[in-house]
Amino acid sequence: MEFRDLLLGLALVWVTAKVAGEALERIGQTAVLGELLAGVIIGPGVLGLVHESQVLHGLAELGVLILLFEVGLESDLGELLRAGLQATLVALVGVAAPFAVGYGVMSWLGHPALLAVFVGATFTATSVGTTARVLRDLGRLQDADAKVLLGATVVDDILGLIILAVVTGVAQTGSVSLATVGLLSGKAVAFLVVAILIGIRLAPALVRWIGRMQARGTLIVYSVVFAVALAGVADLMGLATIIGAFAAGLILATTERREHIEERIKPVADLLVPVFFVTVGMKVQPAMLNPFAENTQFSLAILLTAVAVVSKLGAGLAVYQRGVRRWPVAVGMVPRGEVGLTFAGVGLAAGVIAEDLVLNAHRRGDAETFAAPPWLKTLYRE
Amino acid sequence: MEFRDLLLGLALVWVTAKVAGEALERIGQTAVLGELLAGVIIGPGVLGLVHESQVLHGLAELGVLILLFEVGLESDLGELLRAGLQATLVALVGVAAPFAVGYGVMSWLGHPALLAVFVGATFTATSVGTTARVLRDLGRLQDADAKVLLGATVVDDILGLIILAVVTGVAQTGSVSLATVGLLSGKAVAFLVVAILIGIRLAPALVRWIGRMQARGTLIVYSVVFAVALAGVADLMGLATIIGAFAAGLILATTERREHIEERIKPVADLLVPVFFVTVGMKVQPAMLNPFAENTQFSLAILLTAVAVVSKLGAGLAVYQRGVRRWPVAVGMVPRGEVGLTFAGVGLAAGVIAEDLVLNAHRRGDAETFAAPPWLKTLYRE
């Protein structure tokens, strides 16, 4: 009975994702926007045909992990490192500008400083999933812009870790030790450096060893195991799982079997990636957008969303390299980062911010996620 | 935290499945036996490294479904239908012989008739998953034996439905109406006939329509949706989900895109199918095999297991066609059917059979599942 529900739910997720994705592509938009909208429509917010279950959630999380693994496979570690300084600058401005603006607006509205700090923090998070998907679908992963954006995402995730440590410390003890922050970011950087250094040294031998196996499907299974294992270790280090999967893709991209792995991961990604974007859409509650509902603080929501989007575009100002386009980088930094909701959750638990501001952050994130795909598409069409 | 457990659990399932599968292949056995053993070792029975979670269970169920979909894709509906009478005979004897022997032994041991009926029923169930996997891995799906076995499995599932109706009726009201049995089997047969007739008529147009889509991954997603949807409908009709997925594969095998679908489903099957067999292994509790433990009725268990295996081989006696090998068909009918445990559960709930006999049926099923792969491998090596 339970498995039948899963089967029918999955069938509905896939069919609506494909139909809406195809329809949106036909009118010049991206498939991912269609998948997000499909999620809104079949989710609890509108029709309520599919509800998030543990299995659907697990498939979705595996989906975004496979997406970043695939993006890593299609990327070049050398080029990414050469874009390193530029990417770091974009990430730093992409965090600092939204924080400053979010803090400033809340202070200007007369809110206490601690509250303003938390709202500022929720402004900073960027999620790479949506942007990476759009760039992949548009075949733009080899552009200089993509290198900067992917590099910035990795740096951004480390900065997010530091901000989380700071806001948690401030919420719990009113202060934060520099040692804690240093240890956390050191661990994260060390993981990335060590994983990639060891990885590119061991991967060729490993891939050759796998080539000697007789059983069917050895290459695809060990490749996914590598992605899943690095994702798990990244999570242990406090980083996002998708950063670990991306690193795994980067490492395997340096081996001679890169194309074989890419070819075999494609159908798996085709099945699992849409499940992720549909479930992101399912979390949207259009009812919360009703301006006439009580206690929604609609005008504040509109103001904060506008300010958040505009301030995130500030990352584009950090572009100094020739050949890197300012606007795609700026817009690529817009989509919601899940970690922003974690910051809001910490603030709520500590009693620093109220529930309506958490809902606010959620809605703002939805708007950012939905705004980015059509915007990027328009920029790349020019 | 929870997602990290899933990631590390999945990595462990995949690595042990591949290592054990490879090792068993190297010593002349089948990979599936290695995966079953890997499950026993990492599961709660021995090391307890991985526990079954909802997500793992969902992935495993999707895995066996994809396996049968793939087997269907590699099969020919016409040949299967030509083997129809032979397959039906094998299925009928494969149900009648074990039932008669199970009933006879229990009566001879002095147990009441109703109890003997239930034990006889638990003897009848056959699962196609293990046999289909071995035949696929050995490249024997095109043999006449495979057609008979796959056809017999479909018939066997319908017979299982009838037996379930009978034992449930007998347990609840002491009798069973012929109308109920007729309705149930009619529904199941009608589903198969209608699904396949409509399917092969509509599939070519559908596949052409899918070919016109622009979005990436349309073919694989719609193919899997078709399998998942037919599995869901089969479940609604009281049949096993894998029968629906098998029918979906048979239907798509008649289209011009058969090879494209096969090529894309392969990596998905490579990832999900081992998860199924490892979780089957995880359910085995070696501690229950301890002959010195109290209340295990060890001698009865050994007797019933031996009798169950031998009586299932009776199906081979129904082979009359030339070119169909008696022994592979007989041994292919041996693996445990999940529905046997359902019969036992109904008997337990009705108070007709005691818990030790249910455990007995479980252990017997484990033995059958583990015995079939090496046996089949030996037969095909000759």
Side-chain angles (χ1 to χ4, degrees), chain B residues 122-202:
Chain B
T122 65
F123 270 44
T124 60
T126 291
S127 164
V128 73
T130 309
T131 299
R133 169 73 191 273
V134 173
L135 292 174
R136 188 201 72 175
D137 285 7
L138 295 177
R140 292 287 186 165
L141 283 175
Q142 306 314 323
D143 286 16
D145 316 345
K147 316 286 174 209
V148 172
L149 273 170
L150 291 173
T153 303
V154 176
V155 180
D156 196 86
D157 199 53
I158 298 172
L159 295 176
L161 194 65
I162 296 173
I163 298 170
L164 184 60
V166 172
V167 295
T168 311
V170 168
Q172 284 169 356
T173 65
S175 71
V176 63
S177 90
L178 215 64
T180 312
V181 170
L183 190 70
L184 270 172
S185 33
K187 251 171 60 180
V189 173
F191 159 69
L192 284 171
V193 172
V194 170
I196 290 177
L197 279 185
I198 296 185
I200 51 176
R201 249 156 256 265
L202 290 186

Side-chain angles (χ1 to χ4, degrees), chain B residues 23-368:
Chain B
L24 272 279
E25 282 212 350
R26 298 241 162 173
I27 60 167
Q29 288 300 329
T30 56
V32 63
L33 185 63
E35 293 169 14
L36 290 166
L37 289 172
V40 176
I41 293 166
I42 64 172
V46 180
L47 298 180
L49 296 175
V50 181
H51 291 263
E52 194 171 22
S53 64
Q54 269 193 42
V55 184
L56 212 56
H57 181 70
L59 289 174
E61 292 289 318
L62 283 175
V64 68
L65 201 147
I66 295 286
L67 171 65
L68 268 288
F69 176 57
E70 199 193 5
V71 169
L73 271 174
E74 292 181 35
S75 303
D76 184 285
L77 181 61
E79 289 178 18
L80 211 65
L81 289 177
R82 273 190 291 281
L85 189 64
Q86 172 66 86
T88 306
L89 256 182
V90 167
L92 283 171
V93 177
V95 161
F99 179 81
V101 171
Y103 178 86
V105 168
M106 291 306 281
S107 299
W108 173 70
L109 288 173
H111 291 286
L114 198 55
L115 172 62
V117 166
F118 265 92
V119 172
T122 65
F123 270 44
T124 60
T126 291
S127 164
V128 73
T130 309
T131 299
R133 169 73 191 273
V134 173
L135 292 174
R136 188 201 72 175
D137 285 7
L138 295 177
R140 292 287 186 165
L141 283 175
Q142 306 314 323
D143 286 16
D145 316 345
K147 316 286 174 209
V148 172
L149 273 170
L150 291 173
T153 303
V154 176
V155 180
D156 196 86
D157 199 53
I158 298 172
L159 295 176
L161 194 65
I162 296 173
I163 298 170
L164 184 60
V166 172
V167 295
T168 311
V170 168
Q172 284 169 356
T173 65
S175 71
V176 63
S177 90
L178 215 64
T180 312
V181 170
L183 190 70
L184 270 172
S185 33
K187 251 171 60 180
V189 173
F191 159 69
L192 284 171
V193 172
V194 170
I196 290 177
L197 279 185
I198 296 185
I200 51 176
R201 249 156 256 265
L202 290 186
L206 210 73
V207 164
R208 269 196 301 278
W209 175 75
I210 289 170
R212 283 203 298 272
M213 298 292 118
Q214 294 165 357
R216 197 190 113 166
T218 303
L219 185 64
I220 175 77
V221 171
Y222 278 115
S223 301
V224 171
V225 163
F226 189 56
V228 159
L230 274 198
V233 179
D235 190 48
L236 275 171
M237 296 289 148
L239 287 169
T241 54
I242 53 176
I243 299 290
F246 178 59
L250 280 176
I251 292 166
L252 290 182
T254 64
T255 68
E256 59 188 30
R257 299 296 293 279
R258 167 191 195 148
E259 280 175 33
H260 287 122
I261 301 173
E262 251 188 86
E263 191 192 314
R264 285 170 176 77
I265 205 72
K266 246 180 118 158
V268 181
D270 288 340
L271 281 171
L272 292 181
V273 173
V275 178
F276 173 73
F277 288 103
V278 172
T279 57
V280 168
M282 279 169 55
K283 290 194 193 101
V284 175
Q285 304 211 346
M288 295 205 315
L289 292 176
N290 178 5
F292 307 109
E294 283 178 60
N295 303 321
T296 52
Q297 293 192 279
F298 192 67
S299 52
L300 181 63
I302 292 285
L303 174 68
L304 289 183
T305 301
V307 167
V309 170
V310 171
S311 65
K312 279 188 161 192
L313 293 173
L317 295 173
V319 170
Y320 67 84
Q321 283 188 338
R322 285 199 310 148
V324 178
R325 294 172 62 201
R326 202 176 288 277
W327 275 101
V329 169
V331 176
M333 296 293 282
V334 166
R336 162 199 30 214
E338 286 293 329
V339 73
L341 298 179
T342 310
F343 301 157
V346 170
L348 181 68
V352 177
I353 65 173
E355 203 162 326
D356 57 342
L357 274 172
V358 176
L359 282 177
N360 228 313
H362 208 302
R363 259 174 287 177
R364 201 160 62 234
D366 290 340
E368 290 165 355

Side-chain angles (χ1 to χ4, degrees), chain A residues 3-4 7 14 18 22 26 61 70 136 212 214-217 221 225 228 235-236 264 267 270, chain B residues 3-4 7 14 18 22 26 61 70 136 212-217 221 225 228 235-236 264 267 270:
Chain A
F3 184 53
R4 187 199 300 164
L7 291 180
W14 276 321
K18 281 287 139 190
E22 183 72 25
R26 298 241 162 171
E61 293 289 319
E70 199 193 4
R136 188 200 73 173
R212 282 202 299 272
Q214 294 166 357
R216 198 190 113 167
V221 171
V225 163
V228 159
D235 190 48
L236 275 171
R264 284 171 177 76
D270 288 340
Chain B
F3 184 53
R4 188 199 301 164
L7 291 180
W14 277 321
K18 280 288 139 191
E22 184 72 24
R26 298 241 162 173
E61 292 289 318
E70 199 193 5
R136 188 201 72 175
R212 283 203 298 272
M213 298 292 118
Q214 294 165 357
R216 197 190 113 166
V221 171
V225 163
V228 159
D235 190 48
L236 275 171
R264 285 170 176 77
D270 288 340

